[in-house]
Structures are given as C-alpha cells and as structure tokens.
Amino acid sequence: QVQLVESGGGLVQPGGSLRLSCAAKVATLDYYTIGWIRQAPGKEREGVSCITGSYDFSATSNSLKDRFTISKDNANKMVYLQMDNLDPEDTGIYFCAARAPIPIVASSCEAASTTYDYWGQGTQVTVSS
C-alpha cells in the first residue's frame, strides 16, 4: 500500500499563505500522479491541483491557479501546494492522493479529478480572522 503523509495545515488569516507538504512513502515518485483535493465543511470533495511524477506537467483549477501552485521534489519524494492570498472559502481538509500507472506512466493530469488510488489522512486548513 502506498503511504501518503500530509503536513503544513493550520490557522491563517485571510490574505495569508500556507505551504502544504505531502511525503510519498514509495520507492520512486516517477510512477505516480499526485493530486491535491480539498473538502470544505458540508461540501463534497473538490480537485485542486495535480502533477505527474515523470513529466513537467501540472494543472491547477482555473478558479485557484492565480493563488495556488503545485510543485514536487522527486529525489525526496515530496509534493507541495503553495497557497497564497487565502480566503475563508479555502477552509477545509486538504488531502494528497496518488494514482498508479495503469498501464503506463501518465504524461498529463486533470486538476478537477477526485479519482485516485491512494489517499493521505488530510491536513486541516482554516482561514479566519
């Protein structure tokens, strides 16, 4: 089983920033697509951003791409989500998730996707004054 561990959530004021981290406990990050998905209270899960393990491709939701940036460090098997100019509407649990290469390593991904094979526990982000 692939293990994913999120960190970096917390309480931040509107307009502030947070950087979320996802540690992927796998042999190599190259094989996987990694996504960030969030769930606000009372709402269904929403795909935020994604990045491919073996290519430079990444994607972020159109409504968030001016403020959120995904990145990765293959050597350390880490994926990050930089969140700037946060709004109370960004409050929720943020999950990282992984999709296995079936049958090949992915060359692209869709930010809105919430379909993944492996999920982390999530980290809470609260944006409030």
Side-chain angles (χ1 to χ4, degrees), residues 23-84:
K25 299 187 182 300
V26 294
T28 173
L29 199 60
D30 298 355
Y31 298 147
Y32 300 94
T33 294
I34 306 296
W36 285 100
I37 305 94
R38 69 183 184 181
Q39 187 167 26
K43 297 184 179 180
E44 61 187 24
R45 291 182 177 181
E46 172 191 15
V48 172
S49 190
C50 63
I51 193 163
T52 57
S54 296
Y55 299 88
D56 292 331
F57 186 90
S58 65
T60 301
S61 172
N62 285 334
S63 64
L64 299 173
K65 63 182 180 181
D66 290 339
R67 301 188 293 116
F68 289 16
T69 304
I70 192 170
S71 61
K72 65 185 177 75
D73 180 348
N74 284 60
N76 292 298
K77 295 177 284 188
M78 297 289 293
V79 180
Y80 305 98
L81 183 67
Q82 178 68 41
M83 306 187 296
D84 298 318

Side-chain angles (χ1 to χ4, degrees), residues 93-113:
I93 302 174
Y94 284 69
F95 302 89
C96 66
R99 183 161 56 245
I102 303 174
I104 60 173
V105 174
S107 60
S108 64
C109 61
E110 296 181 0
S113 178

